[in-house]
Amino acid sequence: MTLTPVGLTRPASVTGAFLEQLVARVPGSAGATWKLTEVYTGDVLVELPQSTPEDIERAFAVAREAQRKWAATPVKQRLAVFKRAHTLFVDHARAVADLIQVESGKNRRMAIEETCDPPMVMSHYLKRAAKLLAPVKRGGPVPLVTSSTEVRRPKGVVGIIAPWNFPFATGISDAVPALMAGNAVVLKPDNKTALSPLYGVRLLEEAGLPKGLFQVVCGEGPDVGPTLIDQADYVMFTGSTATGKVIGERAGRNLIGCCLELGGKNPMIVLEDANISEAVQGAVFGAFGNTGQICMHVERIYLPESRYNEFKTAFVAAASALDVRAAYDFGPEMGSLVSVDHMRRVKSHVDDAVAKGATVLCGGKPRPDLGPAFFEPTILEGVTKDMLCGVTETFGPVVALHSYRTVDEAVALANDTDYGLNASVWSTDVPAARALAARIESGNVNVNDILATAYAAKGTPSGGVKNSGVGARHGDQGLLKYTDGQNLAVLKKQVMGPRPGQHYEKYVESMLSGLKTLRKLRLR
């Protein structure tokens, strides 16, 4: 039996009328709806329209019409929208956090952190976009009489498929550089977490983003995904590796580009000289932040034999002491999983591990007394690769401890996975930690941090390797991927060929001699 959390009061900003206004943006011509619920209680918040393939095609048509005008708008004017949006997003952060909590069940500390991501992305690209999008004149093949200019052109309409774990951050932050580059966007959020990105679109339009440029469609992935990909000029997807492979295959058939940030089975390596107190604090966030529902969170911790028990004792004590409950204030340190279905998946991983010999050091059980989808912070040891949680991303508040004898063994264990999204190395010897980090097969590696330092560094590309994805967000690449490069070449005088009456052999001699001269000139 599930009990409604005692004393839980839904935020005053989350009214039925407000939610109806948000979902009214979503096209649903067939009348089908999806019951979007408050995670903490299971109560229905609003009926979310479900978009048909025809609705999606119309959304793309509207977006394309708006995109033509937007692409012709000077970059300075486009960026002015995001200067205003930055202020609006910061000023409305608490209202956004209300929506994020209601729809996802995460604790308020993590919800408010999520609201900070779009303003951070805006701030970075407000500094870089104008330079990245400006034409760059380069030399041509023949000095003085030829030139070549690199021109950046928007892709057109970008399809974004956002996950439920960070719906606002991914739904809006991935759209910001696409819009700055002159594209339109059609976003498909997860049904469970459509409210916060819908509010983000509303704030962007309040800042001056043209109506129609940012469309939102909703539905289950198999129902709407194929049409969205077939209509898009580029696809940005964050989610599971299995779904990413399907999206990548379809994008390839359509000869369009895609960026895929996929799953991870992220390792944390603690070296013998590490500050154990700091490493434990990092592990608590890495394993249980956002209730373990972070693509870059840690699921495997590798400890030197000499300090294994010291870390284990402190880590179990810290995890057992976490304040886990439903509340719309900043008290709880961990909230709910996103849904009952996902809670059952997490439980199945733990049950499988226990049945095959793993030991539960703390947690290991659902907490229906706290809410329908709560699960205890769980630490396991004795996990092996014949267990689900030994090889597959659990994506919940579950982490396994492992010991190692040598650093080489730790590196081999960390790399023994099909994934490569994020990793962390902990040591008081930073140069040694950096050297070890270079041996880790991962798109992101943090030293003395779990993930925030890498992900918050918006100037550096962030993506996965192996089965953790293709492409990256952030950095110059995070904006340029939404553009095509056009080579505008100019020949001022006809010198590309034999002169009238010149024997072709003489022309070849002069051409080859010219290549040698050009090399010498370019070396100076």
Side-chain angles (χ1 to χ4, degrees), residues 284-444:
V284 168
F285 175 77
F288 310 124
N290 206 44
T291 320
Q293 301 165 125
I294 306 177
C295 298
M296 296 171 70
H297 86 135
V298 61
E299 295 201 3
R300 302 177 287 144
I301 301 178
Y302 296 103
L303 303 160
E305 287 184 341
S306 62
R307 308 199 72 181
Y308 183 91
N309 288 330
E310 178 187 0
F311 182 97
K312 180 175 81 170
T313 299
F315 187 37
V316 169
S320 301
L322 286 174
D323 182 354
V324 182
R325 56 191 169 89
Y328 289 108
D329 57 44
F330 290 106
E333 295 166 288
M334 194 180 96
S336 173
L337 289 165
V338 74
S339 68
V340 172
D341 284 345
H342 189 56
M343 180 273 290
R344 289 170 178 158
R345 180 182 184 276
V346 171
K347 181 178 183 298
S348 73
H349 276 218
V350 175
D351 291 347
D352 172 78
V354 171
K356 293 175 179 174
T359 300
V360 176
L361 299 178
C362 71
K365 303 186 299 296
R367 290 293 302 272
D369 56 311
L370 299 178
F374 275 82
F375 197 88
E376 294 176 329
T378 300
I379 304 173
L380 304 175
E381 68 178 355
V383 170
T384 59
K385 293 194 72 173
D386 66 330
M387 302 172 186
L388 285 173
C389 70
V391 293
T392 305
E393 184 179 37
T394 301
F395 215 60
V398 179
V399 65
L401 303 185
H402 305 269
S403 66
Y404 68 84
R405 291 186 176 88
T406 67
V407 171
D408 287 345
E409 181 187 5
V411 171
L413 290 168
N415 289 338
D416 187 20
T417 176
D418 293 332
Y419 296 104
L421 182 59
N422 186 55
S424 69
V425 179
W426 294 74
S427 172
T428 53
D429 185 345
V430 172
R434 288 175 65 98
L436 189 150
R439 301 169 62 190
I440 304 297
E441 298 165 357
S442 179
N444 302 273

Side-chain angles (χ1 to χ4, degrees), residues 138 154 167 214 222 229 236 261 289 448 453 480 485 498 505:
R138 308 185 189 281
F214 198 150
I229 297 166
M236 175 71 210
E261 194 212 67
N448 294 331
T453 301
L480 292 176
E505 181 61 35

Side-chain angles (χ1 to χ4, degrees), residues 426-499:
W426 294 74
S427 172
T428 53
D429 185 345
V430 172
R434 288 175 65 98
L436 189 150
R439 301 169 62 190
I440 304 297
E441 298 165 357
S442 179
N444 302 273
V445 185
N446 297 261
V447 172
N448 294 331
D449 188 32
I450 290 293
L451 60 89
T453 301
Y455 195 81
K458 303 304 184 186
T460 306
S462 174
V465 299
K466 299 196 281 191
N467 280 354
S468 288
V470 176
R473 54 167 60 93
H474 305 159
D476 293 354
Q477 183 179 336
L479 185 146
L480 292 176
K481 70 186 181 188
Y482 294 124
T483 68
D484 289 318
Q486 182 186 64
N487 183 349
L488 179 59
V490 175
L491 176 63
K492 298 177 183 177
K493 183 178 180 181
Q494 298 300 321
V495 295
M496 307 284 280
R499 297 189 302 274

Side-chain angles (χ1 to χ4, degrees), residues 21-29 48-51 189 194 198 216-219:
Q21 290 174 5
L22 291 180
V23 302
R25 176 185 295 274
V26 180
S29 60
L48 180 69
Q50 299 293 276
S51 306
L198 281 166
V216 181
V217 296
C218 290

Side-chain angles (χ1 to χ4, degrees), residues 85 88-89 92 96 168 198-208:
L88 285 173
F89 274 59
H92 291 80
V96 174
F168 187 70
L198 281 166
Y199 188 50
V201 177
R202 176 168 160 173
L203 291 177
L204 286 173
E205 290 183 349
E206 285 184 26

